[in-house]
């Protein structure tokens, strides 16, 4: 029997799109690679993305004290356009798209026919009949199937559109000094088009940190010149490029959730008890029952009427300063009632905070005598800690500058 050389097998696997396929570089990869002194990368939607670049603590404080630049190019981006674009998006998502004005953005979610959340994300209205849907996971087959009967065009523009998140109290000053005139007029969840290198950059006053911030989108070929335009005023404004670790810390403080971290999307769930309705992950406020029918509406209404909701997503404050991601929650230290999905020590609040999924009625009607089981590694030994937890409202951190218009300069 002829033996196939290992190198040949790997080459064939790569050519076939196997898991061994090297991660892609984003349009900003060369700039990030030069800054990544830690060589600390992770995989995001098939792209090589930085977990940290230099120092996680300094990167976090750039978000809260000056300005932080984060590459969001791997985020999935779908262009939805055509005469039925409004009707299609309204049928797809849980919010009333008819209320979303041109050059506005809103946070939304979409469900399968059983009311289980497929994903959450942002919907940008770029024109009267033109939208961009941004999400964590990929949904093109679902979108195309859902578009049956609608006069719409759906295109995956994830690879063609580069994206940056510019966040922090000095983020507006960075844009001003970089020459983006008029950006000070953008209100929260508003977007505009600004000239750049013979083309344009779409800038929206949005972000994932709970702070003053913006997101910038441009064609892939303009990516490096956009980065360099911002970086030219970086030192003056103490702007720092950051990785996901710092961003994740900030988003926990802001109480934001992440698909397949704080909840499992219905397309990726392998077990039925992992499925979640919007009300079970804190997204009940998004659901507009006054709008025309949308995917999952009947199931959501039925669950509310019959009170069959099984889970609830809550904010927690934990005694001490040891974070406990994926730690179990107990009632009276005995009965297991949930799990922490994300946790962090907040330097701003000086509190140990977490997001947790609990089994109702815990976290809804039963709020007291809840405990978390944390295993802390200390000098090569794990120490079991049982710490009391308190239900806390999200967001944990509220910053007035996030909504100030015009934005402040410090």
């Amino acid at each position: 029997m002829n033996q196939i050389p290992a190198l040949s097998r790997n080459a064939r696997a790569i050519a076939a799109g196997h898991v061994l396929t090297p991660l892609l570089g984003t349009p900003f990869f060369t700039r990030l690679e030069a800054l990544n002194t830690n060589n600390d990368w992770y995989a995001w939607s098939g792209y090589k993305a930085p977990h940290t670049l230099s120092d996680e603590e300094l990167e976090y404080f750039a978000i809260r004290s000056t300005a932080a630049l984060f590459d969001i190019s791997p985020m999935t981006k779908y262009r939805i356009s055509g005469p039925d674009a409004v009707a299609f998006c309204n049928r797809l998502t849980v919010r009333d798209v008819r209320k979303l004005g041109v050059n506005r953005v809103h946070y939304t979610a979409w469900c399968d026919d059983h009311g289980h959340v497929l994903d959450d994300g942002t919907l940008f209205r770029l024109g009267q009949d033109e939208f961009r849907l941004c999400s964590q996971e990929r949904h093109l087959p679902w979108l195309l199937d859902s578009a049956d009967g609608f006069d719409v065009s759906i295109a995956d523009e994830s690879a063609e559109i580069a994206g940056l998140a510019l966040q922090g109290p000095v983020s507006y000053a960075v844009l001003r000094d970089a020459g983006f005139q008029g950006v000070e007029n953008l209100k929260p969840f508003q977007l505009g088009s600004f000239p750049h290198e013979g083309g344009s950059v779409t800038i929206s006053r949005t972000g994932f940190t709970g702070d003053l911030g913006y997101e910038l989108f441009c064609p892939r070929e303009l990516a490096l010149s956009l980065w360099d335009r911002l970086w030219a005023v970086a030192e003056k404004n103490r702007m720092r490029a950051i990785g996901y670790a710092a961003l994740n810390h900030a988003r926990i403080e802001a109480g934001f959730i992440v698909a397949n971290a704080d909840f499992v999307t219905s397309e990726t769930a392998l077990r039925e008890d992992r499925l979640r309705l919007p009300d079970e992950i804190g997204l009940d406020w998004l659901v507009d029952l006054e709008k025309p029918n949308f995917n999952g509406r009947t199931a959501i209404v039925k669950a509310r009427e019959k009170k069959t909701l099984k889970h609830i997503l809550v904010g927690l404050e934990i005694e001490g300063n040891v974070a406990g991601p994926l730690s179990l929650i107990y009632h009276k230290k005995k009965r297991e009632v949930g799990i922490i999905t994300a946790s962090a020590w907040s330097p701003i609040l000086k509190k140990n905070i977490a997001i947790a999924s609990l089994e109702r009625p815990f976290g809804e009607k039963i709020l007291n005598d809840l405990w978390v089981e944390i295993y802390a590694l200390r000098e090569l030994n794990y120490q079991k800690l049982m710490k009391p937890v308190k239900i806390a409202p999200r967001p944990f951190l509220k910053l007035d500058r996030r909504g100030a218009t015009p934005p402040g300069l410090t």
Side-chain angles (χ1 to χ4, degrees):
M1 180 182 296
N2 294 329
Q3 296 293 318
I4 301 176
L7 182 60
S8 176
R9 288 199 300 269
N10 287 346
R12 292 184 182 184
I14 291 173
H18 188 264
V19 68
L20 294 175
T21 303
L23 294 174
L24 300 172
T26 74
F28 303 106
F29 179 73
T30 56
R31 300 296 187 266
L32 291 167
E33 186 178 36
L35 295 170
N36 198 342
T37 57
N38 293 338
N39 197 26
D40 183 13
W41 306 92
Y42 73 103
W44 178 8
S45 295
Y47 287 88
K48 195 173 183 179
H51 184 255
T52 60
L53 290 165
S54 56
D55 184 286
E56 180 181 341
E57 185 174 348
L58 292 177
E59 291 173 29
Y60 162 80
F61 278 107
I63 299 173
R64 294 294 183 230
S65 301
T66 55
L69 194 62
F70 179 72
D71 182 4
I72 57 172
S73 299
M75 182 170 59
T76 304
K77 301 174 282 289
Y78 296 109
R79 181 68 66 104
I80 302 170
S81 57
D84 290 343
V86 174
F88 169 70
C89 291
N90 223 22
R91 180 69 169 80
L92 177 74
T93 64
V94 299
R95 295 188 74 171
D96 195 340
V97 177
R98 298 172 303 179
K99 299 177 181 178
L100 181 63
V102 175
N103 292 331
R104 297 288 299 173
V105 188
H106 70 199
Y107 174 56
T108 190
W110 48 104
C111 304
D112 62 20
D113 293 337
H114 303 289
H116 299 131
V117 178
L118 278 160
D119 211 341
D120 65 335
T122 46
L123 185 66
F124 295 69
R125 191 164 189 176
L126 306 176
Q128 192 63 36
D129 298 312
E130 190 169 12
F131 297 84
R132 174 181 292 143
L133 182 65
C134 297
S135 64
Q136 175 74 9
E137 303 297 319
R138 297 191 177 278
H139 299 284
L140 187 58
W142 174 269
L143 294 176
L144 292 174
D145 288 345
S146 300
D148 187 35
F150 291 93
D151 187 3
V152 293
S153 173
I154 302 173
D156 185 347
E157 58 179 15
S158 303
E160 287 74 32
I161 300 297
L164 289 171
L166 176 61
Q167 304 286 299
V170 189
S171 56
Y172 161 64
V174 172
L175 293 176
R176 179 204 59 188
D177 292 347
F180 289 101
Q181 296 182 3
V183 75
E184 69 275 7
N185 298 321
L186 291 180
K187 298 178 181 180
F189 295 98
Q190 185 178 10
L191 63 90
S193 182
F194 298 83
H196 174 70
E197 296 290 324
S200 64
V201 175
T202 298
I203 302 179
S204 61
R205 193 164 164 186
T206 51
F208 202 54
T209 63
D211 216 310
L212 173 65
Y214 302 83
E215 292 176 324
L216 297 81
F217 300 93
C218 70
R220 185 183 186 97
E221 59 271 19
L222 297 180
L224 292 182
S225 61
L226 174 60
W227 178 284
D228 293 342
R229 181 174 176 178
L230 298 174
W231 206 251
V233 297
E235 184 175 358
K236 173 183 178 182
N237 292 289
R238 299 295 188 265
M239 184 179 75
R240 178 183 290 269
I242 67 167
Y244 180 72
L247 182 77
N248 188 54
H249 204 117
R251 73 91 181 173
I252 295 173
E253 291 179 328
F256 296 147
I257 61 175
V258 175
N260 288 322
D262 299 295
F263 71 97
V264 180
T265 62
S266 66
E267 278 193 316
T268 58
L270 300 178
R271 300 168 179 82
E272 188 174 355
D273 64 345
R274 305 299 195 268
L275 300 169
R276 296 290 187 269
L277 279 79
D279 298 41
E280 295 179 309
I281 55 173
L283 300 185
D284 47 302
W285 63 277
L286 291 178
V287 179
D288 189 342
L289 296 181
E290 301 301 318
K291 61 177 277 189
N293 190 36
F294 56 90
N295 291 354
R297 184 186 191 280
T298 301
I300 293 171
V301 171
K302 182 179 178 181
R304 291 181 177 182
E305 291 177 346
K306 295 186 175 295
K307 301 185 184 304
T308 57
L309 296 165
K310 298 178 181 179
H311 304 91
I312 187 170
L313 203 70
V314 299
L316 297 178
E317 291 181 7
I318 306 173
E319 182 184 274
N321 60 3
V322 180
L326 302 181
S327 295
L328 296 177
I329 304 293
Y330 292 88
H331 181 237
K332 296 183 177 180
K333 298 185 181 181
K334 295 180 180 180
R335 178 176 174 179
E336 181 184 326
V337 298
I339 188 171
I340 288 178
T341 59
S343 63
W345 169 260
S346 170
I348 302 295
L349 299 171
K350 301 296 187 289
K351 291 180 180 179
N352 200 10
I353 57 175
I355 298 172
S357 178
L358 303 182
E359 299 173 6
R360 297 180 190 234
F362 301 98
E364 179 187 32
K365 296 179 179 180
I366 302 176
L367 307 177
N368 298 319
D369 213 351
L370 298 174
W371 299 76
V372 60
E373 180 183 53
I374 299 174
Y375 286 86
L377 181 60
R378 293 174 173 171
E379 297 178 350
L380 301 182
N381 284 307
Y382 277 101
Q383 180 181 357
K384 178 180 175 180
L385 307 175
M386 291 296 290
K387 295 290 186 178
V389 301
K390 180 175 66 175
I391 304 294
R394 292 182 294 142
F396 300 100
L397 178 65
K398 295 182 180 180
L399 298 168
D400 291 340
R401 62 184 179 239
R402 184 190 182 200
T405 305
L409 297 179
T410 58

